[in-house]
Amino acid sequence: MHVGWNPRVSHAPNNEYGNVTSLWESFENPTDTFLPGMLLRGDMNLTSWRDRDDPGSGSFTFMLDTAGKTTVQNCEPCGTNMIPYPLSTSSNCGDPMYFSFNCNTTSGQVSFKALSGTYRVTSIDQNTSKFFIQVKDVDSLRLNQSFAFNLTTPRNSSSNVSSRVTDDVKIVWEPSLEAICNLSADCEDWPHSTCKSASDGKRRCLCTISFRWDGTKLSCTQVSSPSEKGMILLLIAGITSVIVLCAMTFIYIWRRKMTKRQENRQIDQRNRVQRMLYSESYVQDLIDSGEFQEEDEKGIDVPFYDLESIRIATNNFSDENKLGQGGYGLVYKGKLPSGQEIAVKRLSSVSGQGLLEFKNEVVLIAKLQHRNLARLYGYCI
């Protein structure tokens, strides 16, 4: 890069006081080196060389960072500094409430105008809505209260400018109102808004129904209207009521079934006890009638079991141990104290088999021994 003392190439007449016409200005047309004060337009970028001897395009590019909310009402960049909305450097861009900045197009330097003077802006952060200015005497700084700027404490860093120590002071700007507009086309950068007269008498891009302006996000955000909120709450309450009602109905039906099942179980148990008692009384009546004499037991060469031992073996003649049903009664599975599994045939109270038939069956089975016949282990009366 060739740098001379005067970066401006000019042509002038030979007279001493003639007008000078600029042909080319190096600070407005950077080449391979960028110096403070040079102008960098939005459509301009600088690309590094591939290496020291190769001027081909390298891996690094220097350009304006246009990230963030960009609108047609944004002010033009000032050198390398972006001026995000709503900050304003002139009357035809940004928001008038934030018109406290000045751009030196020659040096590309942004300055902030306050009641106590004009201060150099060192940085602007759109994401946090703040910027920094260099102040020599912080106590003397006075802001215009009619503008949307708030002063915060100085940053704990200093810089030496013109041999005098200055402090970097952070200033935060408040969220802006809706953008000022003249025509509906001016609101294209703010969806869900139309150009209407606002309460301050100015025409602004006011958000449509169901949307509300968010000054931090610079956009119209959707909100629920009171009627919609009421409908949602009513719908939630209705669904909850239906779920609770169904749950209560299910619990009621379930408890009723369980109660009915318990009652039926108790009735069945009482019936079994009654049938058992009736059967026992029937057999006892047969014994007391004298039809079954002591000498009838002489022909039966098998053990005699009492009723209690049979009850224990068959779990009180439970339905779980029932194997089947014959012509004269039910057959139950049982287990003797010795571990021997047995089958117990119980005479039904409504059976047509009498005591004589029972005795003959016991004697016949006891005398008949065959591998295909069930062995008789004993009897009970």
Side-chain angles (χ1 to χ4, degrees), residues 368-375:
L368 290 177
Q369 297 294 333
H370 193 274
R371 61 182 180 179
N372 294 331
L373 295 177
R375 180 183 177 184

Side-chain angles (χ1 to χ4, degrees), residues 297 302 379:
E297 299 181 5
V302 291
Y379 69 96

Side-chain angles (χ1 to χ4, degrees), residues 136-153:
K136 296 178 181 179
D137 185 5
V138 178
D139 296 333
S140 64
L141 179 60
R142 297 290 182 273
L143 300 181
N144 190 340
Q145 300 300 322
S146 61
F147 288 90
F149 299 103
N150 296 319
L151 177 64
T152 60
T153 56

Side-chain angles (χ1 to χ4, degrees), residues 229-283:
K229 290 183 178 179
M231 290 295 295
I232 293 175
L233 292 177
L234 184 61
L235 181 61
I236 293 175
I239 294 176
T240 304
S241 301
V242 171
I243 294 175
V244 172
L245 181 59
C246 292
M248 293 179 63
T249 304
F250 173 78
I251 293 174
Y252 171 75
I253 295 175
W254 178 77
R255 289 179 62 89
R256 187 172 180 180
K257 287 184 176 180
M258 293 300 294
T259 304
K260 187 67 174 178
R261 187 177 301 173
Q262 185 68 20
E263 292 177 354
N264 293 336
R265 189 180 294 111
Q266 294 176 356
I267 293 174
D268 292 340
Q269 187 175 0
R270 287 196 297 267
N271 292 338
R272 285 197 301 269
V273 172
Q274 291 177 358
R275 288 195 300 268
M276 185 183 301
L277 294 176
Y278 178 78
S279 178
E280 292 175 359
S281 61
Y282 173 73
V283 174

Side-chain angles (χ1 to χ4, degrees), residues 135-274:
V135 181
K136 296 178 181 179
D137 185 5
V138 178
D139 296 333
S140 64
L141 179 60
R142 297 290 182 273
L143 300 181
N144 190 340
Q145 300 300 322
S146 61
F147 288 90
F149 299 103
N150 296 319
L151 177 64
T152 60
T153 56
R155 187 165 58 180
N156 295 327
S157 62
S158 300
S159 59
N160 195 310
V161 179
S162 300
S163 301
R164 299 190 63 180
V165 177
T166 61
D167 291 322
D168 285 343
V169 178
K170 180 174 66 175
I171 297 179
V172 179
W173 70 80
E174 297 178 357
S176 67
L177 298 176
E178 295 87 344
I180 295 177
C181 61
N182 293 319
L183 303 173
S184 298
D186 298 335
C187 301
E188 292 180 354
D189 288 323
W190 290 274
H192 311 291
S193 67
T194 55
C195 188
K196 296 181 180 179
S197 297
S199 57
D200 58 359
K202 300 177 182 179
R203 291 181 63 82
R204 295 182 179 272
C205 297
L206 301 182
C207 299
T208 57
I209 299 176
S210 300
F211 289 87
R212 182 175 59 188
W213 175 254
D214 189 336
T216 304
K217 298 180 179 179
L218 297 179
S219 62
C220 293
T221 57
Q222 189 171 11
V223 294
S224 299
S225 62
S227 58
E228 291 178 352
K229 290 183 178 179
M231 290 295 295
I232 293 175
L233 292 177
L234 184 61
L235 181 61
I236 293 175
I239 294 176
T240 304
S241 301
V242 171
I243 294 175
V244 172
L245 181 59
C246 292
M248 293 179 63
T249 304
F250 173 78
I251 293 174
Y252 171 75
I253 295 175
W254 178 77
R255 289 179 62 89
R256 187 172 180 180
K257 287 184 176 180
M258 293 300 294
T259 304
K260 187 67 174 178
R261 187 177 301 173
Q262 185 68 20
E263 292 177 354
N264 293 336
R265 189 180 294 111
Q266 294 176 356
I267 293 174
D268 292 340
Q269 187 175 0
R270 287 196 297 267
N271 292 338
R272 285 197 301 269
V273 172
Q274 291 177 358

Side-chain angles (χ1 to χ4, degrees), residues 12-49:
N14 291 329
N15 57 354
E16 183 178 358
Y17 303 102
N19 294 329
V20 178
T21 302
S22 298
L23 301 180
W24 180 80
E25 294 185 11
S26 63
F27 269 43
E28 294 183 1
N29 298 273
T31 55
D32 61 350
T33 302
F34 194 84
L35 300 177
M38 283 186 170
L39 178 64
L40 183 65
R41 297 187 300 271
D43 59 346
M44 185 182 300
N45 60 76
L46 303 178
T47 304
S48 65
W49 284 16

Side-chain angles (χ1 to χ4, degrees), residues 254-368:
W254 178 77
R255 289 179 62 89
R256 187 172 180 180
K257 287 184 176 180
M258 293 300 294
T259 304
K260 187 67 174 178
R261 187 177 301 173
Q262 185 68 20
E263 292 177 354
N264 293 336
R265 189 180 294 111
Q266 294 176 356
I267 293 174
D268 292 340
Q269 187 175 0
R270 287 196 297 267
N271 292 338
R272 285 197 301 269
V273 172
Q274 291 177 358
R275 288 195 300 268
M276 185 183 301
L277 294 176
Y278 178 78
S279 178
E280 292 175 359
S281 61
Y282 173 73
V283 174
Q284 187 65 36
D285 291 341
L286 289 177
I287 296 175
D288 296 340
S289 65
E291 296 183 14
F292 193 82
Q293 302 297 331
E294 183 70 21
E295 58 271 12
D296 294 333
E297 299 181 5
K298 295 179 182 179
I300 305 177
D301 189 15
V302 291
F304 173 81
Y305 292 90
D306 57 15
L307 181 60
E308 186 62 26
S309 61
I310 299 300
R311 284 181 177 178
I312 296 175
T314 60
N315 194 16
N316 200 18
F317 298 99
S318 65
D319 292 338
E320 297 177 356
N321 290 352
K322 186 169 65 174
L323 298 177
Q325 184 174 359
Y328 296 110
L330 300 175
V331 179
Y332 296 89
K333 178 179 67 174
K335 193 171 186 179
L336 297 175
S338 61
Q340 177 67 45
E341 292 185 350
I342 59 174
V344 179
K345 179 180 179 182
R346 187 181 187 187
L347 183 64
S348 175
S349 60
V350 295
S351 174
Q353 185 182 28
L355 184 58
L356 181 59
E357 289 82 359
F358 173 77
K359 184 185 69 172
N360 293 335
E361 183 178 357
V362 170
V363 173
L364 180 61
I365 296 177
K367 291 182 178 181
L368 290 177

